[in-house]
Amino acid sequence: MKKHSARVAPLSSYSTQVLTCPNSEGEDGSESHAETPGSETSMESQSFHTCANTALKVLGGLLMVLCVSSSWVGTTQVVKLTFQSFSCPFFISWFSSNWNILIFPIYYSGHVVTTREKQTPIQKFRECSKLFGEDGMTLKLFVKRTAPFSILWTLTNYLYLLALKKLTATDVSALYCCHKAFVFLLSWIVLKDRFMGVRIVAAIMAITGIVMMAYADGFHGDSFVGVALAVGSASTSALYKVLFKMFLGSANLGEVAHFLSTMGFFNLIFISCVPLILYFTRVEHWGSLSSLPWGYMCGLAGLWLVFNILVHVGVVLTYPILISIGTLLSVPGNAAVDLLKHEVIFSVVRLAATCIICLGFLLMLLPEEWDSVTLRFLATIADKKSEDHGEELTDSSTHTRSRSRANGTVSIPLA
């Protein structure tokens, strides 16, 4: 009986454990199964939402780049078409700059559509006028703040149009991309931005491309003059952008639209005398107003307006690098149009100069912390490779030990 009792007691205790443990595990398992579908669906919805946002950002960025490049290519090509029947570059520049008045009404229309708090145009105009000071815009501040930017704006457009009369659209658009290097040099000198060796290299490449472009047809004739005009346009554009960053760097979207429309008013009021002077001095004689190619001129002004809105407003709404990439893509776009439509034959020197300028432009797009980011990325790759190599060595040593134990031998590692 003692033996039987000794045998029964462990069996009874073991049976209770068997009975209780599955029940507790079953309860926990039911709870885990009840929570798993909800957590999985929430994780799936979060991942889907993240992927959708990423896809929208990528598509929006690609659309922005496409719009910037196509509008600039269209502007340059329509200028070439306009010159076939109307060769008055300053009048074209003045007429297109007047369309900047429409930028603030376009902004206000979008503001009314997208916001619930409605403001009258006068209220919104006064709110955005704080860019000129706490007291708003006065006549003195209007002239003082707007005159330098309007003059640089007019010079940039006028020199660009003059260069298009001497060179192809591809050459002018490539030379205009040098403004990125000039912006860096001016920002380094005036704004005391961070010095970057790679951008100095990019600036040297831009200057090299300019010299090669001028050397393509010899340092004489229309080619050299056209290169000088295009470089002058890029220089004034760089000075405009540096001053814009200095005085209006913290401006919001409404203030930028207000400022651009103000420049359009300044151009209409104060610079309208210049086309009249050129007309009466026979420098730019356009004949009667009915004989002007209004279709080309309105199309040109509309494309230029779209490009200016995308460049100035797009910088506030999106990443500035997208605007820069769109401007760079205008070079191959103009090259394709010149090659297919105008049957332009590019020399080897011009192609090399264009490629050097574009490569320098791409180097300018590198962020300021690109060197440290690159070093961290390379260090991460090296650490990962070392970890993988260590795991391989561990696996091989384990496999060697198992084989040696199976064979009855022991492997002793050397020191």
Side-chain angles (χ1 to χ4, degrees):
M1 290 297 294
K2 288 181 181 179
K3 290 180 180 180
H4 285 292
S5 62
R7 290 178 183 176
V8 170
L11 287 175
S12 61
S13 63
Y14 178 75
S15 63
T16 55
Q17 290 178 359
V18 171
L19 290 175
T20 55
C21 289
N23 289 334
S24 62
E25 289 177 0
E27 291 175 358
D28 295 336
S30 61
E31 290 178 358
S32 62
H33 284 297
E35 293 178 357
T36 301
S39 60
E40 289 180 354
T41 53
S42 62
M43 292 177 63
E44 289 179 357
S45 62
Q46 291 178 358
S47 61
F48 177 77
H49 186 67
T50 303
C51 293
N53 290 334
T54 305
L56 288 176
K57 288 182 180 180
V58 171
L59 291 176
L62 293 177
L63 182 62
M64 177 64 69
V65 170
L66 181 62
C67 291
V68 171
S69 60
S70 59
S71 62
W72 192 231
V73 170
T75 301
T76 306
Q77 295 297 328
V78 174
V79 168
K80 299 288 286 186
L81 293 175
T82 308
F83 281 160
Q84 295 177 2
S85 58
F86 183 69
S87 182
C88 297
F90 194 90
F91 182 83
I92 295 173
S93 174
W94 171 81
F95 178 77
S96 301
S97 298
N98 290 334
W99 284 48
N100 287 341
I101 300 173
L102 301 175
I103 294 180
F104 186 79
I106 293 173
Y107 162 75
Y108 180 75
S109 301
H111 169 74
V112 170
V113 173
T114 56
T115 57
R116 295 181 179 179
E117 298 179 359
K118 308 299 180 183
Q119 290 180 325
T120 62
I122 297 177
Q123 291 176 347
K124 194 64 181 177
F125 187 83
R126 288 177 178 175
E127 179 183 344
C128 297
S129 298
K130 294 180 180 179
L131 177 69
F132 293 89
E134 295 296 333
D135 298 333
M137 185 176 61
T138 60
L139 181 60
K140 182 180 178 180
L141 288 175
F142 170 71
V143 176
K144 182 179 178 180
R145 288 289 184 92
T146 313
F149 291 97
S150 297
I151 294 172
L152 290 174
W153 181 283
T154 303
L155 283 176
T156 300
N157 297 338
Y158 181 55
L159 293 174
Y160 189 85
L161 295 181
L162 285 177
L164 285 174
K165 295 182 67 176
K166 305 292 184 180
L167 300 174
T168 62
T170 305
D171 295 341
V172 177
S173 59
L175 290 169
Y176 182 76
C177 288
C178 295
H179 76 275
K180 199 73 175 178
F182 300 153
V183 168
F184 163 70
L185 294 176
L186 289 175
S187 300
W188 178 40
I189 297 171
V190 178
L191 302 180
K192 307 299 180 182
D193 284 355
R194 178 186 173 186
F195 174 81
M196 291 182 62
V198 67
R199 293 186 179 178
I200 291 292
V201 174
I204 296 173
M205 294 176 67
I207 296 172
T208 304
I210 292 171
V211 175
M212 291 178 64
M213 193 74 73
Y215 178 73
D217 295 332
F219 294 97
H220 57 79
D222 293 340
S223 178
F224 181 75
V225 175
V227 171
L229 292 171
V231 173
S233 176
S235 302
T236 53
S237 175
L239 184 58
Y240 169 85
K241 291 183 178 181
V242 171
L243 292 178
F244 191 89
K245 182 180 179 181
M246 182 185 299
F247 294 105
L248 306 173
S250 59
N252 56 29
L253 183 60
E255 291 173 346
V256 172
H258 179 278
F259 184 77
L260 294 176
S261 295
T262 305
M263 282 203 309
F265 275 110
F266 185 92
N267 183 80
L268 180 62
I269 296 171
F270 293 98
I271 305 182
S272 297
C273 59
V274 180
L276 294 176
I277 294 173
L278 296 177
Y279 175 79
F280 288 112
T281 56
R282 297 286 179 172
V283 177
E284 289 187 359
H285 186 73
W286 57 81
S288 62
L289 295 178
S290 60
S291 62
L292 298 181
W294 291 110
Y296 283 137
M297 292 183 62
C298 291
L300 168 63
L303 288 172
W304 218 327
L305 176 65
V306 171
F307 177 76
N308 291 327
I309 291 174
L310 292 175
V311 168
H312 291 85
V313 178
V315 171
V316 180
L317 295 178
T318 60
Y319 300 102
I321 191 173
L322 299 178
I323 309 299
S324 301
I325 293 174
T327 306
L328 180 63
L329 290 180
S330 65
V331 178
N334 282 313
V337 175
D338 288 341
L339 184 63
L340 297 176
K341 186 175 181 180
H342 304 290
E343 297 181 355
V344 177
I345 299 175
F346 300 101
S347 62
V348 178
V349 179
R350 289 184 180 276
L351 286 176
T354 303
C355 293
I356 290 174
I357 292 173
C358 293
L359 182 58
F361 189 91
L362 289 175
L363 291 178
M364 284 289 176
L365 299 181
L366 291 175
E368 293 185 355
E369 303 295 335
W370 73 274
D371 48 354
S372 59
V373 172
T374 304
L375 291 176
R376 286 199 299 266
F377 179 73
L378 294 176
T380 303
I381 293 177
D383 293 340
K384 188 175 182 181
K385 286 184 178 180
S386 62
E387 290 177 359
D388 293 339
H389 185 64
E391 291 177 358
E392 290 178 358
L393 291 176
T394 304
D395 293 339
S396 62
S397 62
T398 304
H399 183 65
T400 304
R401 287 172 187 162
S402 62
R403 289 184 62 185
S404 61
R405 288 173 182 174
N407 296 327
T409 59
V410 178
S411 61
I412 300 175
L414 299 175

